[in-house]
Each structure stands twice: as C-alpha cells, then as structure tokens.
Amino acid sequence: MNMLYYSEIIGITSATSKQKYRNIDYANENNERQIKRVISSTGIEERRSLVGRDIRLVDLAIVAAKNVIENTEIDKQDICVLLYLTQAPEFNTPST
C-alpha cells in the first residue's frame, strides 16, 4: 500500500535579542574607515547580541515557535516538524 505524505510551510517567524550594538561604536583609529565602508556597502548599522544576557538561542526559538503557532492558529498536535535556523550556534557540538 502506497501512502502519500506531504509537508507544508504554514508560517515563518523570527525572534531577536533586544540588545543592540551600533557597528560604528566598535571603530577605533585603526579600523574606522573599514567599518564605515562595511556599513556603507551593506547598510547594516547595528547588530543584536545575546552576550552578557541570561538568554540563550533556544529561548528565542521557543518565542518564535509560540509566535508562529499563535499567528497561524494551528493546533500544536498537528505539527510534525519545526525548523530552527541560526547563523550563530551556541555550541559547536552538539549543535543547538
């Protein structure tokens, strides 16, 4: 018997730290020109960080998961997979 299974993306969300850092604040006399050039070419003037906070990436993932469930009004029992993506894992092994 062949059974057909499928997956469907029903929502996408994100969660970020509230702690902001301006990139120009990291400039010194040796690298100010380079930082300004990066800001000019990318448009990225600030970044967010969890450094020094009692929050982990998994905490943000939980917030994001709750947001997508609330915004899509899906029943939690119907969820088979939640995907978690990050560019800055907390640990190299095992991955978070």
Side-chain angles (χ1 to χ4, degrees):
M1 176 196 295
N2 283 336
M3 297 184 71
L4 181 62
Y5 295 97
Y6 70 96
S7 296
E8 177 181 13
I9 296 174
I10 59 155
I12 298 174
T13 190
S14 64
T16 59
S17 170
K18 293 179 182 176
Q19 186 173 355
K20 297 179 188 179
Y21 296 96
R22 294 179 339 137
N23 288 330
I24 198 66
D25 292 341
Y26 291 94
N28 59 41
E29 59 189 49
N30 296 324
N31 67 357
E32 182 175 2
R33 184 172 169 230
Q34 180 181 5
I35 288 179
K36 285 182 177 181
R37 189 171 52 223
V38 169
I39 292 170
S40 174
S41 65
T42 64
I44 300 171
E45 295 182 5
E46 65 184 22
R47 54 187 149 158
R48 295 173 185 258
S49 176
L50 299 177
V51 174
R53 296 288 204 179
D54 291 332
I55 189 169
R56 300 173 315 190
L57 293 174
V58 70
D59 297 323
L60 293 177
I62 291 169
V63 168
K66 287 179 180 179
N67 286 343
V68 79
I69 290 168
E70 289 174 10
N71 292 332
T72 58
E73 297 178 2
I74 189 169
D75 185 348
K76 288 187 271 186
Q77 301 300 321
D78 294 335
I79 298 174
C80 295
V81 175
L82 285 174
L83 296 178
Y84 167 78
L85 303 170
T86 181
Q87 292 181 323
E90 289 179 285
F91 308 103
N92 290 329
T93 304
S95 61
T96 49

